Coordinates of all heavy atoms in Angstrom, one line a residue:
M1 N 86.1 3.9 27.1 CA 85.6 5.0 27.9 C 86.6 6.2 27.9 O 86.2 7.3 27.9 CB 85.4 4.5 29.4 CG 84.5 5.4 30.1 SD 82.9 5.4 29.4 CE 82.0 6.2 30.7
T2 N 87.9 5.9 27.8 CA 88.8 7.1 27.8 C 88.8 7.8 26.5 O 89.1 9.0 26.5 CB 90.3 6.5 28.1 OG1 90.6 5.6 27.1 CG2 90.4 5.9 29.4
K3 N 88.4 7.1 25.4 CA 88.3 7.8 24.1 C 87.1 8.8 24.1 O 87.2 9.9 23.6 CB 88.1 6.8 23.0 CG 89.4 6.0 22.7 CD 89.2 5.1 21.5 CE 90.4 4.3 21.2 NZ 90.3 3.5 20.1
I4 N 86.0 8.4 24.8 CA 84.9 9.3 24.9 C 85.3 10.5 25.8 O 84.9 11.6 25.4 CB 83.7 8.5 25.5 CG1 83.2 7.5 24.5 CG2 82.6 9.5 25.8 CD1 82.1 6.6 25.1
D5 N 86.0 10.3 26.9 CA 86.4 11.4 27.7 C 87.3 12.3 26.9 O 87.2 13.5 27.1 CB 87.1 10.8 28.9 CG 86.2 10.1 29.9 OD1 85.0 10.3 29.8 OD2 86.7 9.3 30.7
T6 N 88.2 11.8 26.1 CA 89.1 12.6 25.3 C 88.3 13.4 24.3 O 88.6 14.6 24.1 CB 90.1 11.7 24.6 OG1 90.8 10.9 25.6 CG2 91.2 12.6 23.9
L7 N 87.4 12.8 23.6 CA 86.6 13.5 22.7 C 85.7 14.6 23.3 O 85.7 15.8 22.8 CB 85.6 12.6 21.9 CG 86.3 11.6 20.9 CD1 85.3 10.6 20.4 CD2 86.9 12.4 19.8
V8 N 85.2 14.4 24.5 CA 84.4 15.4 25.2 C 85.3 16.5 25.6 O 85.0 17.7 25.5 CB 83.7 14.8 26.4 CG1 83.1 15.8 27.3 CG2 82.6 13.8 25.9
G9 N 86.5 16.2 26.1 CA 87.5 17.2 26.5 C 87.9 18.1 25.3 O 87.9 19.3 25.5
H10 N 88.1 17.5 24.1 CA 88.4 18.3 23.0 C 87.3 19.2 22.5 O 87.5 20.3 22.1 CB 88.9 17.4 21.8 CG 90.2 16.8 22.0 ND1 91.4 17.5 22.2 CD2 90.6 15.5 22.0 CE1 92.4 16.7 22.4 NE2 92.0 15.5 22.2
A11 N 86.0 18.6 22.6 CA 84.9 19.4 22.2 C 84.7 20.6 23.1 O 84.4 21.7 22.7 CB 83.6 18.5 22.2
I12 N 84.9 20.4 24.4 CA 84.8 21.5 25.4 C 85.9 22.6 25.1 O 85.6 23.8 25.1 CB 84.8 21.0 26.8 CG1 83.6 20.2 27.1 CG2 85.0 22.1 27.8 CD1 83.6 19.5 28.5
Q13 N 87.1 22.1 24.8 CA 88.2 23.0 24.6 C 87.9 23.9 23.3 O 88.1 25.1 23.3 CB 89.5 22.3 24.4 CG 90.7 23.2 24.2 CD 92.0 22.3 24.1 OE1 91.9 21.1 24.1 NE2 93.1 23.0 24.1
I14 N 87.4 23.3 22.3 CA 87.1 24.0 21.0 C 86.0 25.0 21.3 O 86.0 26.1 20.8 CB 86.7 23.0 19.9 CG1 87.9 22.2 19.5 CG2 86.1 23.7 18.7 CD1 87.6 21.0 18.6
Y15 N 85.0 24.6 22.1 CA 83.8 25.5 22.4 C 84.3 26.7 23.2 O 83.9 27.8 22.9 CB 82.8 24.7 23.1 CG 81.6 25.5 23.6 CD1 80.7 26.0 22.6 CD2 81.4 25.9 24.9 CE1 79.6 26.8 23.0 CE2 80.4 26.7 25.3 CZ 79.5 27.1 24.3 OH 78.4 27.9 24.7
M16 N 85.2 26.4 24.2 CA 85.6 27.5 25.0 C 86.5 28.5 24.2 O 86.6 29.6 24.6 CB 86.4 26.9 26.2 CG 85.5 26.1 27.2 SD 84.1 27.0 27.8 CE 84.9 28.2 28.9
E17 N 87.2 28.0 23.2 CA 88.1 28.9 22.4 C 87.2 29.9 21.6 O 87.6 31.0 21.3 CB 89.0 28.1 21.5 CG 90.1 27.4 22.3 CD 91.0 26.5 21.4 OE1 90.6 26.4 20.2 OE2 91.9 26.0 21.9
D18 N 86.0 29.5 21.2 CA 85.1 30.3 20.4 C 84.4 31.4 21.2 O 84.0 32.4 20.7 CB 84.0 29.5 19.7 CG 84.6 28.6 18.7 OD1 85.7 28.9 18.2 OD2 84.0 27.6 18.3
I19 N 84.4 31.2 22.6 CA 83.7 32.2 23.4 C 84.7 33.3 23.7 O 85.8 33.1 24.2 CB 83.2 31.5 24.7 CG1 82.2 30.5 24.4 CG2 82.6 32.6 25.7 CD1 81.7 29.7 25.6
A20 N 84.2 34.6 23.5 CA 85.1 35.7 23.9 C 85.1 35.9 25.4 O 84.0 35.8 26.0 CB 84.5 37.0 23.2
P21 N 86.2 36.2 25.9 CA 86.2 36.4 27.4 C 85.4 37.7 27.8 O 85.5 38.7 27.1 CB 87.7 36.6 27.7 CG 88.4 37.0 26.4 CD 87.5 36.4 25.3
I22 N 84.7 37.6 28.8 CA 83.9 38.7 29.3 C 84.7 39.5 30.3 O 85.2 39.0 31.3 CB 82.6 38.2 29.9 CG1 81.8 37.4 28.9 CG2 81.8 39.3 30.5 CD1 80.6 36.7 29.5
T23 N 84.8 40.8 30.1 CA 85.5 41.7 31.0 C 84.5 42.7 31.6 O 84.0 43.5 30.8 CB 86.7 42.4 30.4 OG1 86.2 43.1 29.2 CG2 87.8 41.4 29.9
P24 N 84.2 42.6 32.8 CA 83.2 43.5 33.4 C 83.8 44.9 33.5 O 85.0 45.1 33.9 CB 82.9 43.0 34.8 CG 84.1 42.1 35.1 CD 84.7 41.6 33.8
T25 N 83.1 45.9 33.2 CA 83.5 47.3 33.3 C 82.5 48.1 34.1 O 81.3 47.8 34.0 CB 83.7 48.0 31.9 OG1 82.5 47.9 31.2 CG2 84.8 47.3 31.1
Q26 N 82.9 49.1 34.8 CA 82.0 49.9 35.6 C 81.4 50.9 34.6 O 82.1 51.5 33.8 CB 82.8 50.6 36.7 CG 81.9 51.4 37.6 CD 82.7 52.0 38.8 OE1 83.9 51.7 38.9 NE2 82.1 52.7 39.6
P27 N 80.1 51.1 34.7 CA 79.4 52.1 33.9 C 80.0 53.5 34.1 O 80.3 53.8 35.3 CB 77.9 52.1 34.3 CG 77.8 50.7 35.0 CD 79.1 50.4 35.6
P28 N 80.1 54.3 33.1 CA 80.6 55.7 33.3 C 79.7 56.5 34.2 O 78.5 56.4 34.2 CB 80.7 56.2 31.9 CG 79.9 55.3 31.0 CD 79.7 54.0 31.7
G29 N 80.4 57.3 35.0 CA 79.6 58.2 35.9 C 79.2 57.6 37.2 O 78.6 58.2 38.0
T30 N 79.7 56.3 37.5 CA 79.3 55.7 38.8 C 80.5 55.6 39.7 O 80.4 54.9 40.7 CB 78.7 54.3 38.5 OG1 79.7 53.5 37.8 CG2 77.5 54.3 37.7
E31 N 81.5 56.3 39.5 CA 82.7 56.2 40.4 C 82.3 56.8 41.7 O 82.7 56.3 42.8 CB 83.9 57.0 39.8 CG 84.5 56.4 38.5 CD 83.7 56.8 37.2 OE1 82.9 57.8 37.3 OE2 83.9 56.1 36.2
G32 N 81.5 57.9 41.7 CA 81.1 58.5 43.0 C 80.3 57.6 43.8 O 80.4 57.5 45.1
L33 N 79.4 56.8 43.2 CA 78.5 55.9 43.9 C 79.4 54.8 44.5 O 79.1 54.4 45.7 CB 77.5 55.3 42.9 CG 76.6 54.3 43.5 CD1 75.7 54.9 44.5 CD2 75.7 53.6 42.4
S34 N 80.4 54.3 43.8 CA 81.3 53.3 44.4 C 82.0 53.8 45.6 O 82.1 53.1 46.6 CB 82.3 52.9 43.3 OG 83.2 51.9 43.8
D35 N 82.4 55.1 45.6 CA 83.1 55.7 46.7 C 82.1 55.8 47.9 O 82.5 55.5 49.1 CB 83.6 57.0 46.4 CG 84.8 57.0 45.4 OD1 85.4 55.9 45.3 OD2 85.1 58.0 44.8
I36 N 80.9 56.2 47.6 CA 79.9 56.4 48.7 C 79.6 55.0 49.3 O 79.5 54.9 50.6 CB 78.6 57.0 48.2 CG1 78.9 58.5 47.8 CG2 77.5 56.9 49.2 CD1 77.8 59.2 47.1
L37 N 79.4 54.0 48.5 CA 79.2 52.6 49.1 C 80.3 52.1 49.9 O 80.1 51.5 50.9 CB 78.9 51.6 47.9 CG 77.6 51.8 47.2 CD1 77.5 50.8 46.0 CD2 76.4 51.6 48.2
G38 N 81.5 52.4 49.5 CA 82.7 52.1 50.3 C 82.7 52.7 51.7 O 82.9 52.1 52.7
W39 N 82.4 54.0 51.7 CA 82.3 54.8 53.0 C 81.2 54.2 53.9 O 81.4 54.1 55.1 CB 82.1 56.3 52.7 CG 83.4 57.0 52.3 CD1 83.8 57.3 51.1 CD2 84.4 57.4 53.2 NE1 85.0 57.9 51.1 CE2 85.4 58.0 52.4 CE3 84.6 57.4 54.6 CZ2 86.6 58.5 53.0 CZ3 85.7 57.9 55.1 CH2 86.7 58.5 54.3
V40 N 80.0 53.9 53.3 CA 78.9 53.4 54.0 C 79.3 52.1 54.6 O 78.9 51.8 55.8 CB 77.6 53.4 53.2 CG1 76.5 52.6 53.9 CG2 77.2 54.7 52.8
K41 N 79.9 51.2 53.9 CA 80.3 49.9 54.4 C 81.2 50.1 55.6 O 81.0 49.4 56.6 CB 81.0 49.1 53.3 CG 81.6 47.8 53.8 CD 82.5 47.1 52.8 CE 83.8 47.9 52.7 NZ 84.8 47.2 51.9
W42 N 82.3 50.9 55.5 CA 83.2 51.1 56.6 C 82.5 51.7 57.8 O 82.8 51.3 59.0 CB 84.4 51.8 56.2 CG 85.3 51.0 55.4 CD1 85.6 51.1 54.1 CD2 86.1 49.9 55.9 NE1 86.5 50.1 53.7 CE2 86.8 49.3 54.8 CE3 86.3 49.3 57.1 CZ2 87.7 48.2 54.9 CZ3 87.1 48.2 57.3 CH2 87.8 47.7 56.2
L43 N 81.6 52.7 57.6 CA 80.9 53.3 58.7 C 80.0 52.3 59.4 O 80.0 52.2 60.6 CB 80.0 54.5 58.1 CG 79.2 55.2 59.2 CD1 80.2 55.9 60.2 CD2 78.3 56.2 58.5
A44 N 79.3 51.4 58.6 CA 78.5 50.4 59.2 C 79.3 49.4 60.0 O 78.9 49.0 61.1 CB 77.7 49.7 58.1
L45 N 80.5 49.0 59.5 CA 81.3 48.1 60.3 C 81.8 48.7 61.6 O 81.9 48.1 62.6 CB 82.4 47.6 59.4 CG 82.0 46.6 58.3 CD1 83.2 46.2 57.4 CD2 81.4 45.3 58.9
I46 N 82.2 50.0 61.5 CA 82.7 50.7 62.7 C 81.6 50.8 63.7 O 81.8 50.6 64.9 CB 83.2 52.1 62.3 CG1 84.5 52.0 61.6 CG2 83.4 53.0 63.6 CD1 85.0 53.3 60.9
I47 N 80.3 51.0 63.3 CA 79.2 51.1 64.2 C 79.0 49.7 64.9 O 78.7 49.6 66.1 CB 77.9 51.6 63.5 CG1 78.1 53.0 63.2 CG2 76.7 51.3 64.3 CD1 77.0 53.6 62.2
C48 N 79.1 48.6 64.1 CA 79.0 47.3 64.7 C 80.1 47.0 65.7 O 79.8 46.4 66.8 CB 79.1 46.2 63.6 SG 77.6 46.2 62.6
V49 N 81.3 47.4 65.5 CA 82.4 47.2 66.4 C 82.1 48.0 67.7 O 82.3 47.5 68.8 CB 83.8 47.6 65.8 CG1 84.9 47.6 66.8 CG2 84.1 46.6 64.7
V50 N 81.7 49.3 67.5 CA 81.4 50.1 68.7 C 80.2 49.4 69.5 O 80.3 49.4 70.7 CB 81.0 51.5 68.3 CG1 80.5 52.3 69.4 CG2 82.3 52.2 67.7
G51 N 79.2 48.9 68.8 CA 78.2 48.2 69.5 C 78.6 47.0 70.3 O 78.2 46.7 71.4
L52 N 79.6 46.2 69.7 CA 80.1 45.1 70.4 C 80.9 45.5 71.6 O 80.8 44.9 72.7 CB 81.1 44.3 69.5 CG 80.4 43.4 68.5 CD1 81.5 42.9 67.5 CD2 79.7 42.3 69.1
I53 N 81.6 46.6 71.5 CA 82.4 47.1 72.7 C 81.4 47.6 73.8 O 81.6 47.3 75.0 CB 83.3 48.3 72.3 CG1 84.5 47.7 71.4 CG2 83.9 49.0 73.5 CD1 85.3 48.8 70.7
I54 N 80.4 48.3 73.4 CA 79.4 48.8 74.4 C 78.7 47.6 75.1 O 78.5 47.6 76.3 CB 78.4 49.8 73.8 CG1 79.1 51.1 73.4 CG2 77.2 50.0 74.7 CD1 78.3 52.0 72.6
A55 N 78.3 46.6 74.3 CA 77.6 45.5 74.8 C 78.5 44.7 75.8 O 78.1 44.2 76.8 CB 77.1 44.5 73.7
G56 N 79.8 44.6 75.4 CA 80.7 43.9 76.3 C 80.9 44.7 77.6 O 81.0 44.1 78.7
A57 N 81.0 46.0 77.5 CA 81.2 46.8 78.7 C 80.0 46.7 79.6 O 80.1 46.6 80.8 CB 81.5 48.2 78.3
M58 N 78.8 46.7 79.0 CA 77.6 46.6 79.8 C 77.5 45.2 80.5 O 77.0 45.1 81.6 CB 76.3 46.8 78.9 CG 76.2 48.3 78.5 SD 74.8 48.6 77.4 CE 73.5 48.5 78.6
M59 N 77.9 44.2 79.8 CA 78.0 42.8 80.4 C 78.9 42.8 81.6 O 78.6 42.2 82.6 CB 78.4 41.8 79.3 CG 77.3 41.3 78.4 SD 77.9 40.1 77.3 CE 78.1 38.7 78.4
A60 N 80.0 43.4 81.4 CA 81.0 43.5 82.5 C 80.5 44.2 83.7 O 80.7 43.8 84.9 CB 82.3 44.1 82.0
I61 N 79.8 45.3 83.5 CA 79.3 46.1 84.6 C 78.1 45.4 85.3 O 78.1 45.4 86.5 CB 78.8 47.5 84.0 CG1 80.1 48.3 83.6 CG2 78.0 48.3 85.1 CD1 79.7 49.6 82.9
Q62 N 77.2 44.9 84.5 CA 76.0 44.3 85.1 C 76.2 42.8 85.5 O 75.3 42.3 86.1 CB 74.9 44.4 84.1 CG 74.5 45.8 83.9 CD 73.2 46.0 83.1 OE1 72.7 45.0 82.6 NE2 72.7 47.2 83.0
S63 N 77.4 42.2 85.2 CA 77.6 40.9 85.7 C 77.7 40.8 87.2 O 77.4 39.8 87.8 CB 78.8 40.3 85.1 OG 80.0 40.9 85.5
R64 N 78.1 41.9 87.8 CA 78.2 42.0 89.3 C 76.9 42.0 89.9 O 76.7 41.5 91.0 CB 79.0 43.2 89.7 CG 80.4 43.3 89.1 CD 81.2 44.2 89.7 NE 82.1 43.5 90.5 CZ 83.0 44.0 91.4 NH1 83.0 45.3 91.5 NH2 83.8 43.2 92.1
R65 N 75.9 42.4 89.2 CA 74.5 42.5 89.7 C 73.7 41.2 89.3 O 72.6 41.0 89.7 CB 73.7 43.7 89.1 CG 74.3 45.0 89.4 CD 73.4 46.1 88.8 NE 74.2 47.2 88.6 CZ 73.8 48.2 87.8 NH1 72.6 48.1 87.1 NH2 74.5 49.3 87.6
G66 N 74.3 40.3 88.5 CA 73.7 39.1 88.1 C 72.8 39.3 86.9 O 71.9 38.4 86.6
E67 N 73.0 40.4 86.1 CA 72.2 40.6 84.9 C 73.0 40.6 83.6 O 72.6 41.1 82.6 CB 71.6 42.0 85.1 CG 70.7 42.3 86.3 CD 70.4 43.7 86.5 OE1 70.8 44.6 85.7 OE2 69.6 44.0 87.4
G68 N 74.2 40.0 83.7 CA 75.0 40.0 82.5 C 74.6 39.2 81.3 O 74.9 39.5 80.2
G69 N 73.7 38.2 81.5 CA 73.3 37.4 80.4 C 72.3 38.0 79.5 O 72.1 37.5 78.4
E70 N 71.7 39.1 79.9 CA 70.7 39.8 79.0 C 71.4 40.4 77.8 O 70.7 40.6 76.8 CB 70.0 40.9 79.8 CG 69.2 40.4 80.9 CD 68.6 41.5 81.8 OE1 68.8 42.6 81.4 OE2 67.9 41.1 82.8
H71 N 72.7 40.7 77.8 CA 73.3 41.4 76.7 C 73.9 40.4 75.7 O 74.4 40.9 74.7 CB 74.4 42.3 77.3 CG 73.9 43.3 78.2 ND1 73.2 44.4 77.7 CD2 74.0 43.5 79.5 CE1 72.8 45.2 78.7 NE2 73.3 44.6 79.8
A72 N 73.7 39.1 75.9 CA 74.2 38.2 74.9 C 73.4 38.3 73.6 O 74.0 38.2 72.5 CB 74.1 36.7 75.5
G73 N 72.2 38.6 73.7 CA 71.4 38.9 72.5 C 71.9 40.1 71.7 O 71.9 40.1 70.5
K74 N 72.3 41.1 72.4 CA 72.8 42.3 71.8 C 74.1 42.0 71.0 O 74.3 42.5 69.9 CB 73.0 43.4 72.8 CG 71.8 44.0 73.4 CD 72.0 45.0 74.4 CE 70.7 45.5 75.0 NZ 71.0 46.5 76.1
I75 N 74.9 41.2 71.6 CA 76.2 40.8 71.0 C 75.9 40.0 69.8 O 76.5 40.1 68.7 CB 77.1 40.0 72.0 CG1 77.6 41.0 73.0 CG2 78.3 39.4 71.2 CD1 78.5 40.4 74.1
G76 N 74.9 39.1 69.9 CA 74.5 38.2 68.7 C 74.0 39.1 67.6 O 74.3 38.8 66.4
M77 N 73.2 40.1 67.9 CA 72.6 41.0 66.9 C 73.7 41.8 66.2 O 73.7 42.0 65.0 CB 71.6 41.9 67.4 CG 70.3 41.2 67.8 SD 69.6 40.3 66.5 CE 69.0 41.6 65.5
A78 N 74.7 42.3 67.0 CA 75.8 43.0 66.4 C 76.7 42.1 65.5 O 77.1 42.5 64.4 CB 76.7 43.6 67.5
L79 N 76.9 40.9 65.9 CA 77.6 39.9 65.0 C 76.9 39.6 63.8 O 77.4 39.4 62.7 CB 78.0 38.7 65.8 CG 79.1 38.9 66.9 CD1 79.2 37.6 67.7 CD2 80.4 39.4 66.4
A80 N 75.5 39.5 63.9 CA 74.7 39.2 62.7 C 74.8 40.4 61.8 O 74.8 40.2 60.6 CB 73.3 38.9 63.2
G81 N 74.8 41.6 62.3 CA 75.0 42.8 61.5 C 76.3 42.8 60.7 O 76.3 43.1 59.5
V82 N 77.4 42.3 61.4 CA 78.7 42.3 60.7 C 78.6 41.2 59.6 O 79.1 41.4 58.4 CB 79.8 41.9 61.7 CG1 81.1 41.5 61.0 CG2 80.0 43.0 62.7
I83 N 77.9 40.1 59.8 CA 77.8 39.1 58.8 C 77.0 39.6 57.6 O 77.4 39.4 56.4 CB 77.2 37.8 59.4 CG1 78.1 37.1 60.4 CG2 76.8 36.8 58.3 CD1 77.5 36.0 61.2
V84 N 75.9 40.3 57.8 CA 75.1 40.8 56.8 C 75.8 41.8 55.9 O 75.8 41.8 54.7 CB 73.8 41.4 57.3 CG1 73.0 42.2 56.3 CG2 72.9 40.3 57.8
I85 N 76.6 42.7 56.6 CA 77.3 43.8 55.9 C 78.4 43.1 55.1 O 78.6 43.5 53.9 CB 77.9 44.8 56.9 CG1 76.8 45.6 57.6 CG2 78.9 45.7 56.2 CD1 77.3 46.3 58.8
S86 N 79.1 42.1 55.6 CA 80.2 41.5 54.9 C 79.7 40.7 53.7 O 80.3 40.7 52.6 CB 81.0 40.5 55.8 OG 81.5 41.3 56.9
A87 N 78.5 40.0 53.9 CA 77.9 39.3 52.8 C 77.5 40.2 51.7 O 77.7 39.9 50.5 CB 76.7 38.4 53.3
A88 N 76.9 41.4 52.1 CA 76.4 42.3 51.0 C 77.6 42.8 50.2 O 77.5 42.9 49.0 CB 75.7 43.5 51.7
T89 N 78.7 43.2 50.9 CA 79.9 43.7 50.1 C 80.5 42.6 49.3 O 81.0 42.8 48.2 CB 80.9 44.3 51.1 OG1 81.3 43.3 52.1 CG2 80.4 45.5 51.7
S90 N 80.5 41.3 49.7 CA 81.0 40.2 48.9 C 80.1 40.0 47.7 O 80.7 39.8 46.6 CB 81.1 39.0 49.8 OG 81.9 39.1 50.8
V91 N 78.8 40.1 47.9 CA 77.9 39.8 46.7 C 78.1 41.0 45.7 O 78.2 40.7 44.5 CB 76.4 39.8 47.2 CG1 75.5 39.9 46.0 CG2 76.2 38.5 47.9
V92 N 78.2 42.2 46.2 CA 78.4 43.3 45.2 C 79.8 43.2 44.6 O 79.9 43.5 43.4 CB 78.3 44.7 46.0 CG1 78.7 45.8 45.1 CG2 76.8 44.9 46.4
G93 N 80.8 42.8 45.3 CA 82.1 42.6 44.7 C 82.1 41.5 43.7 O 82.8 41.6 42.7
F94 N 81.3 40.5 43.9 CA 81.3 39.4 43.0 C 80.5 39.8 41.7 O 80.9 39.4 40.6 CB 80.5 38.2 43.6 CG 80.3 37.0 42.7 CD1 81.3 36.2 42.3 CD2 79.0 36.8 42.2 CE1 81.2 35.2 41.5 CE2 78.8 35.7 41.3 CZ 79.9 34.9 41.0
L95 N 79.5 40.6 41.8 CA 78.8 41.1 40.7 C 79.5 42.1 39.9 O 79.3 42.2 38.7 CB 77.4 41.6 41.1 CG 76.4 40.6 41.7 CD1 75.2 41.3 42.2 CD2 76.1 39.5 40.7
A96 N 80.4 42.9 40.5 CA 81.1 43.9 39.8 C 82.2 43.4 39.0 O 82.7 42.4 39.0 CB 81.6 45.0 40.8

């Protein structure tokens, strides 16, 4: 069994040496688009952080009235927004 594993390992190594490495390059003229996407990403994350701060402040103010639990959904939506934004930038970074 070890001889078969060795042969398969050598075959994979020979095959991989024949494949040229792929180096991704950004298309010319898209540098501005990349900058705009970076700014939009940071702006969206800042808006989410501000939303979390506002929802927390509203929870603190309205907890004295017994209405603080209503804002838990707002915090969940803001955190979901952060997850979506982070996932989108990770996918784009992976593809680039």
Side-chain angles (χ1 to χ4, degrees):
M1 197 67 171
T2 57
K3 289 184 180 183
I4 293 173
D5 292 337
T6 305
L7 288 173
V8 170
H10 287 305
I12 290 173
Q13 183 179 5
I14 291 170
Y15 177 73
M16 294 304 287
E17 289 174 356
D18 291 339
I19 297 175
I22 299 172
T23 55
T25 57
Q26 185 173 359
T30 60
E31 294 83 15
L33 180 64
S34 178
D35 291 340
I36 290 172
L37 287 175
W39 280 99
V40 169
K41 173 188 75 169
W42 283 109
L43 181 64
L45 288 174
I46 289 170
I47 290 171
C48 287
V49 169
V50 169
L52 282 171
I53 292 170
I54 291 171
M58 291 179 74
M59 279 181 71
I61 291 170
Q62 293 187 354
S63 68
R64 303 194 104 186
R65 299 183 205 163
E67 304 170 355
E70 295 175 2
H71 298 289
K74 293 179 183 177
I75 290 176
M77 290 303 290
L79 290 175
V82 170
I83 291 170
V84 168
I85 294 166
S86 300
T89 55
S90 296
V91 168
V92 170
F94 176 73
L95 295 176

